[in-house]
Amino acid sequence: MSARESGLKDTGIQISEATVSDFFALLKPRVMALAVFTAFVGLMVAPGVMNPVIAVIAIGAIAVGAGAAGALNMWYDADIDALMSRTSKRPIPSGRVTPGEALGFGLVLSVLSVMTLGVLVGWAAASLLAFTIFFYVVIYTMWLKRSTPQNIVIGGAAGALPPVVGWAAATGAVGVESLVLFLIIFLWTPPHFWALALFKIGDYAAAGIPMMPNVAGQVSTRKQIFAYSLILAPIGVLPWAVGFASGLYGIVSAALGAGFIWNAWRLLADKSWVEGWKMKRAKALFAYSIFYLFAIFAVLLADTIAMRAVSWPH
């Protein structure tokens, strides 16, 4: 031990043993990636031409804000994360990051992201980002998640807001088109998370979280997943129906929606779970749901770029 380290220990000052990768894990990078991508699509689909430097700053601030919300979520949920196999190795339950470090990290990043977006891009987008962080951390994490099986339904609004923030960053306002993108993610969230909850039902039971399969049962959850898929599929086509996507997008999004319905139907019709068989259909729907959302936004992005290239004056 060095003289400096010895002196710090003698004065009661503790040196954090957390690594950069531990703090990066607090940001929930996979969730953050989805938020950043949908925000980027919202920004790109919005009318007008945005300064590339300002656009990069906007997406960067949204990314930091999404990560900050993830860190604050992990700080508050550390007790239940320790009880679930899916989350027990996260930085706080595993002891690599202290709760105080996570809280401070999340709060600093929250303020930094909102102020950066407000000062350098626009306060409409910054206000929406602040509301998104607040909704995810306070409304969903601290209240809904532990109190109602509708936690994902209502709380899904937080995950659906990034494209609206992106649109506001580009235009300074909230357009009908951005609300369509919000609606797609909002209706996608329950079947996505309930599919996960079906094959992680033991984890949620151990943690005392009232996820739909634990409260209403597996049969009811499967029926609700199928009902949501029937609503989601036509909503996914709305960008074409509203007029900010081409007919090609309409065809591809309809096909993706049909795939969602097909996977939800196979889950509903499957009876092998009664005999304790592993949740193959639930896992398949969960995987497809991730593909669906990335694909539908990727197609919308490509469609927008293609339409602008065609209409660009030569």
Side-chain angles (χ1 to χ4, degrees):
M1 179 185 299
S2 68
R4 179 176 179 276
E5 289 174 328
S6 177
L8 288 173
K9 286 184 177 293
D10 290 341
T11 58
I13 300 174
Q14 295 183 344
I15 302 174
S16 174
E17 297 180 358
T19 65
V20 173
S21 63
D22 292 329
F23 282 103
F24 183 69
L26 281 177
L27 302 178
K28 291 190 172 182
R30 285 185 293 182
V31 177
M32 182 175 67
L34 180 60
V36 171
F37 179 60
T38 57
F40 176 69
V41 175
L43 184 149
M44 290 294 293
V45 171
V49 179
M50 193 174 186
N51 182 292
V53 175
I54 300 300
V56 170
I57 292 172
I59 294 301
I62 293 169
V64 172
L72 293 172
N73 169 269
M74 286 200 191
W75 160 71
Y76 192 82
D77 277 353
D79 58 335
I80 57 177
D81 281 350
L83 302 175
M84 300 193 292
S85 61
R86 185 172 64 89
T87 57
S88 61
K89 294 183 180 180
R90 284 177 171 175
I92 303 176
S94 63
R96 303 194 308 275
V97 176
T98 68
E101 289 171 338
L103 175 60
F105 184 59
L107 289 176
V108 169
L109 290 186
S110 295
V111 174
L112 179 64
S113 63
V114 172
M115 292 304 296
T116 299
L117 194 60
V119 172
L120 298 180
V121 181
W123 287 107
S127 299
L128 282 169
L129 179 61
F131 177 73
T132 302
I133 296 171
F134 170 82
F135 196 95
Y136 183 69
V137 176
V138 177
I139 304 300
Y140 169 69
T141 301
M142 295 183 178
W143 176 33
L144 296 171
K145 187 173 183 178
R146 307 187 189 211
S147 63
T148 171
Q150 296 297 320
N151 47 20
I152 286 300
V153 177
I154 306 169
L161 279 169
V164 185
V165 179
W167 183 283
T171 65
V174 174
V176 173
E177 298 91 341
S178 68
L179 296 180
V180 170
L181 302 182
F182 169 91
L183 193 58
I184 292 172
I185 303 175
F186 183 75
L187 292 172
W188 166 88
T189 303
H192 167 72
F193 275 101
W194 286 340
L196 171 66
L198 280 171
F199 62 87
K200 290 293 184 180
I201 191 169
D203 269 5
Y204 290 111
I209 302 175
M211 289 298 284
M212 192 61 71
N214 302 81
V215 176
Q218 295 190 34
V219 174
S220 175
T221 302
R222 289 162 186 255
K223 290 178 180 178
Q224 292 187 61
I225 286 174
F226 183 67
Y228 267 95
S229 73
L230 293 177
I231 300 171
L232 173 63
I235 293 299
V237 185
L238 269 184
W240 164 73
V242 171
F244 65 101
S246 71
L248 180 60
Y249 166 85
I251 294 171
V252 175
S253 61
L256 289 168
F260 205 109
I261 293 173
W262 171 244
N263 277 279
W265 169 252
R266 292 205 305 169
L267 174 62
L268 177 65
D270 183 31
K271 304 300 181 183
S272 56
W273 61 272
V274 177
E275 301 169 1
W277 192 56
K278 292 184 178 180
M279 300 282 187
K280 181 178 179 181
R281 299 303 184 201
K283 292 177 180 178
L285 176 59
F286 178 72
Y288 183 82
S289 68
I290 297 173
F291 165 75
Y292 171 86
L293 195 64
F294 269 108
I296 206 164
F297 273 80
V299 172
L300 179 60
L301 177 61
D303 185 74
T304 299
I305 293 172
M307 286 197 301
R308 287 180 181 173
V310 171
S311 60
W312 195 267
H314 296 287

